[in-house]
Amino acid sequence: MIEDTGCRGARITGAGYYVPDLVLTNFDFEKIVDTSDEWIVTRSGIRERHMASKDQASSDMAYEASCSALRDAGVQGSDLDLIVVGTVTPDMPFPSTACLLQDRLGAAGAAAFDVNAACSGFIYALTVAQSMVSAGKAQKALVLGVETLTRITDYTDRSTCVLFGDGSGAVVLEPCPRGEGIIGTFMRSDGSKPELLYLPAGGSRKPITAERINNRETFVRMKGDGLFKLAVRMMVEASEFVLNKANMKSSDLNYLIPHQANIRIIKGVKKRLHLSDEQVIVNIDRMGNTSSASIPIAFGEARRKGIFKKGDKILMVTFGGGLTWGAVLFEY
Ligand code: UT7
């Protein structure tokens, strides 16, 4: 948990997102695994998801989202002094995707690093950047969530392959008077249940071998029902924590931007926070689960549509592998 002890505030001054052109519909999955559009829509709320082309890596999608966010904020790449990227699908183990991005953006004066917190990657990255901007250690930060999940998806496993999509979302963070911009943050982890969502091979524990490739250990494994039971509880806990800290109630919120893992999880959180359909930003039907990219894509889309107005109180909340969960509350 991070306490907000900064001496100045930090606010989002620009946002952008990018999703690849290729769209996979539920009907495409009916042709490759034993599933149906009806099952996928009913159980997850997903109708379609985007897929990166063969030559597109995470840093390519991150670059597109970054350019859009920087334009929106009126900031040049060379102005940045911090780049934090949430991802579990970096271009390669190292250099970080943030470093690759730094070079392409011409951000020569920026510190750049990745944060690995699975679906909470963007919220963790935003909290780290907010802490640094508030502490006076950064002036102009670029924060992203980006995933090329289709590269680690097992297209013979119907229980996971229908869920995941690719994309990237970015925001620019700059200083503001204390009390404005980001009002509160919350991060928490529970490392005792790695088996609920993990990628078995490819790290130091199980380096890639032909046998592990044959065993499909280079693809995501997920126990969806185990995660499902925890997701609503953790997302509500994170939401209530930041609201309480800010002396606010859920009735003070204008919008909720939840991680887009499952429409039934989103509805559960909405119900527990007593929010209306109109207050909850949902794009899972068109994007699927894009892990750390889901919240900044949803935010970027809604901002581009002009949904938010100045002064709106917006809560972003997430839950994912690790386990990790967290929330960011801010005034638009
Ligand atoms: O983003 C990070 C965090 N992720 C989450 O929080 C994900 C949370 N979990 C979920 O969203 C849901 O658990 C899923 C959408 C993944 C699955 O929904 P579910 O209602 O929990 O289904 P289930 O896994 O309990 O499976 C029910 C049945 C099983 O058949 P049997 O054993 O009852 O005969 C599955 O084999 O549905 C079967 N099934 C499918 N059937 C058709 C699983 N996947 C499919 C499929 N098409 N794609």
Side-chain angles (χ1 to χ4, degrees):
M1 183 189 68
I2 299 274
E3 291 288 340
D4 296 313
T5 53
C7 51
R8 63 182 183 179
R11 75 153 55 100
I12 293 171
T13 58
Y17 69 98
Y18 172 82
V19 289
D21 293 337
L22 180 63
V23 171
L24 292 179
T25 69
N26 291 349
F27 301 105
D28 295 321
F29 282 90
E30 288 184 352
K31 294 176 197 142
I32 56 173
V33 285
D34 179 15
T35 192
S36 65
D37 173 61
E38 196 265 334
W39 189 96
I40 303 169
V41 172
T42 313
R43 298 295 180 113
S44 71
I46 299 167
R47 291 180 188 277
E48 50 188 49
R49 66 294 282 150
H50 293 254
M51 185 185 211
S53 62
K54 283 196 172 66
D55 57 354
Q56 248 177 343
S58 287
S59 69
D60 301 317
M61 293 190 289
Y63 177 73
E64 299 295 337
S66 298
C67 291
S68 164
L70 289 169
R71 254 194 322 273
D72 190 36
V75 167
Q76 305 289 317
S78 55
D79 297 333
L80 295 171
D81 54 6
L82 180 66
I83 301 174
V84 191
V85 176
T87 188
V88 289
T89 47
D91 286 29
M92 57 190 94
F94 68 90
S96 67
T97 300
C99 281
L100 301 174
L101 183 61
Q102 176 205 30
D103 179 54
R104 285 183 69 178
L105 293 173
F113 58 93
D114 290 357
V115 168
N116 175 334
C119 302
S120 305
F122 176 75
I123 292 299
Y124 272 46
L126 185 57
T127 303
V128 169
Q130 178 261 345
S131 307
M132 291 183 67
V133 170
S134 290
K137 292 178 186 290
Q139 299 298 324
K140 288 191 196 310
L142 181 66
V143 183
L144 293 101
V146 60
E147 302 292 0
T148 320
L149 293 177
T150 57
R151 296 280 203 278
I152 56 166
T153 295
D154 183 349
Y155 286 97
T156 65
D157 175 8
R158 69 174 183 173
S159 68
T160 54
C161 73
V162 299
L163 304 173
F164 301 123
D166 299 333
S168 177
V171 299
V172 175
L173 207 59
E174 297 183 69
C176 67
R178 191 164 157 73
E180 296 178 15
I182 293 178
I183 302 166
T185 63
F186 175 87
M187 299 196 295
R188 194 155 288 177
S189 313
D190 174 2
S192 68
K193 298 174 187 64
E195 71 287 352
L196 290 183
L197 183 53
Y198 73 122
L199 184 62
S204 58
R205 176 73 60 196
K206 286 189 173 186
I208 294 176
T209 60
E211 190 191 355
R212 288 179 182 137
I213 291 172
N214 281 338
N215 290 341
R216 313 195 76 76
E217 291 179 81
T218 51
F219 296 122
V220 171
R221 292 196 182 166
M222 184 171 93
K223 292 189 177 146
D225 52 342
L227 285 173
F228 194 97
K229 284 179 194 127
L230 295 167
V232 175
R233 181 149 60 84
M234 302 314 199
M235 287 167 80
V236 170
E237 174 193 297
S239 301
E240 287 176 345
F241 181 94
V242 284
L243 287 167
N244 286 342
K245 272 285 215 193
N247 288 321
M248 285 169 57
K249 296 195 174 68
S250 60
S251 54
D252 297 317
L253 285 176
N254 298 93
Y255 291 100
L256 178 76
I257 309 178
H259 170 49
Q260 313 278 314
N262 188 312
I263 192 66
R264 291 181 292 138
I265 294 174
I266 294 172
K267 283 184 175 165
V269 176
K270 182 196 79 170
K271 190 174 171 202
R272 298 265 294 272
L273 294 180
H274 309 291
L275 299 174
S276 66
D277 282 344
E278 295 68 37
Q279 288 177 289
V280 183
I281 307 293
V282 174
N283 66 5
I284 189 171
D285 52 327
R286 290 173 292 109
M287 300 292 170
N289 181 348
T290 59
S291 187
S292 71
S294 85
I295 289 176
I297 292 174
F299 175 65
E301 262 197 332
R303 177 173 159 101
R304 195 174 289 175
K305 282 183 195 155
I307 288 174
F308 307 128
K309 53 185 192 312
K310 194 172 162 25
D312 277 350
K313 306 287 188 303
I314 302 174
L315 179 65
M316 295 170 166
V317 64
T318 192
F319 170 78
L323 304 173
T324 56
W325 61 108
V328 171
L329 172 66
F330 63 102
E331 186 178 281
Y332 191 72

